[in-house]
Amino acid sequence: MSPVRAGFLGGGFMAAVHSRAARAAGARLVALASSSPERAAQAADRLGIGRPAAHVAELVTAHDIDVVHVCTPNRDHAEQALAALAAGKHVVCEKPLATSVEDARAVVAAAAEAGVAGAVPFVYRYHPVVRQARELVATGAVGRILTIDGAYLQDWLLESGDTDWRADASLGGASRAFADIGSHLCDLLEFVTGRRIVALSARTSTVFDTRAGSAVENEDIAAVVVELEGGALGTLLVSQLAPGRKNGLVLELHGSARSLRFAQERSEELWIGSREGSQLVLRDPGAVGDRGLSLVPAGHPMGYQDAFNGFVADAYAVLDGASPDGLPTFADGLRAAEITDAVLTSARERRWVDVAPVPAPPESPAASKELT
């Protein structure tokens, strides 16, 4: 297969992460478009990407681009993904896939109709010990799942003067904390347990009505009680106002035989608990479920960018006809939109909400075109 030819929409932090992962996967970094030609030129130079594009339409219709990475503010994701899909491009779209269920469903349908691949970076799936935890659940070593305790805590919006475009609902969407990081927690929960959330009850809190003089209409904190298929119950806490927590994603599940705990800030470790005693297992390339995700020997720490690199490598493998296990696709992006919508509905109406996703059109399992 010839190298994947990648284009990028957006020139900020996530574009840097995506471009590093694309480079690691052997792609050619062809072009980048941003909010203006000047910003595109600056970002392309900074990130080592071939050329700036004057606007989105120029990039998505370029004949020398196979896959478009959408790394722009949330409100633009669906529109830009649809434009790329209409041009026959494969798409890697930052989450949220869309700021509404309807738009997310439209993106899924468009990818299926175009016969191209779409992926959403729920990259915490790509920590090797997460795959080990998933395998332990799947093989029955944990027993029947009884309860879940999960959290995703950050502190970067702790004070009223802290702000970001995500705090503007017109850019970030009706949900901020939950759509931004709670979606990762729920994806990790469903991925590791193999069970869907079927109902939830949520409360949200907006601590500061204004940030840096601008009105805030989306939440800082979300607390959610969930029920899973099979009857397990869980509590999830999501906050961007937790002092000292930079990226505190934690998933702990309790089965009838064992408990498991993964903490992203200590991503080389998996805690396994039982009534007879507990153990802390360190990442090992030979562990069950690893399937080659360990890029370096045991004792050489891996982290977030390594997980992202694994995700992009899998997304590109689909373009050559592969079906990588665990790749998060547009269907998973739609799932996140459905759960986010249920959280907002529950918080607004102060009631339990069923999370029964409306069936979406099937996604194309592989590319309809060969790369040239």
Side-chain angles (χ1 to χ4, degrees), residues 76-361:
D76 298 326
H77 289 180
E79 179 181 358
Q80 293 175 351
L82 288 169
L85 295 169
K89 310 300 185 187
H90 308 287
V91 177
V92 177
C93 183
E94 260 304 319
K95 51 85 194 144
L97 181 60
T99 55
S100 73
V101 173
E102 293 74 16
D103 286 347
R105 192 170 292 123
V107 174
V108 172
E113 183 177 353
V116 296
V120 177
F122 288 117
V123 297
Y124 299 111
R125 297 182 179 198
Y126 281 84
H127 285 295
V129 299
V130 166
R131 296 300 177 103
Q132 185 176 357
R134 181 186 184 222
E135 186 73 11
L136 290 171
V137 173
T139 58
V142 173
R144 177 188 171 193
I145 302 296
L146 303 175
T147 58
I148 304 289
D149 179 22
Y152 202 151
L153 308 175
Q154 299 176 332
D155 70 358
W156 65 291
L157 289 174
L158 179 61
E159 299 177 358
S160 62
D162 298 328
T163 192
D164 180 80
W165 60 261
R166 293 172 180 82
D168 181 348
S170 68
L171 294 173
S175 173
R176 175 174 23 99
F178 192 86
D180 186 24
I181 57 178
S183 58
H184 276 297
L185 176 58
C186 290
D187 180 79
L188 192 65
L189 186 164
E190 294 192 337
F191 181 70
V192 171
T193 65
R195 292 160 175 79
R196 291 291 183 113
I197 296 169
V198 296
L200 60 82
S201 179
R203 296 292 184 270
T204 61
S205 173
T206 301
V207 176
F208 299 112
D209 294 332
T210 62
R211 287 184 176 275
S214 298
V216 175
E217 297 178 356
N218 46 29
E219 81 286 347
D220 295 311
I221 299 168
V224 188
V225 178
V226 297
E227 179 185 355
L228 274 61
E229 294 170 322
L233 297 177
T235 58
L236 311 178
L237 178 63
V238 175
S239 174
Q240 294 174 323
L241 285 75
R245 283 301 178 195
K246 306 306 178 185
N247 204 55
L249 170 60
V250 176
L251 178 68
E252 181 168 316
L253 58 91
H254 315 115
S256 57
R258 289 180 176 84
S259 297
L260 301 175
R261 186 179 193 270
F262 167 75
Q264 193 278 155
E265 291 179 328
R266 303 181 66 91
S267 60
E268 293 280 285
E269 303 173 355
L270 179 65
W271 177 81
I272 303 176
S274 69
R275 194 168 188 178
E276 293 74 30
S278 302
Q279 57 181 322
L280 193 64
V281 177
L282 302 182
R283 180 185 60 82
D284 186 335
V288 295
D290 188 283
R291 76 160 187 81
L293 291 176
S294 286
L295 304 177
V296 293
H300 298 72
M302 292 174 56
Y304 171 75
Q305 186 68 56
D306 297 301
F308 216 106
N309 291 2
F311 158 72
V312 169
D314 270 5
Y316 287 177
V318 171
L319 311 190
D320 197 33
S323 299
D325 176 53
L327 174 68
T329 67
F330 278 179
D332 298 297
L334 171 58
R335 175 66 179 167
E338 291 167 339
I339 294 175
T340 298
D341 183 70
V343 165
L344 294 182
T345 299
S346 175
R348 182 176 62 251
E349 300 180 4
R350 304 183 71 82
R351 64 178 177 87
W352 278 86
V353 173
D354 291 334
V355 188
V358 176

Side-chain angles (χ1 to χ4, degrees), residues 6-11 29-45 49-65 68:
F8 301 85
L9 300 178
L29 280 57
V30 175
L32 180 147
S34 189
S35 56
S36 70
E38 294 75 22
R39 287 181 178 271
Q42 293 168 0
D45 180 66
I49 295 173
R51 67 174 186 267
H55 44 71
V56 170
E58 177 184 313
L59 187 139
V60 301
T61 58
H63 70 279
D64 57 348
I65 289 177
V68 174

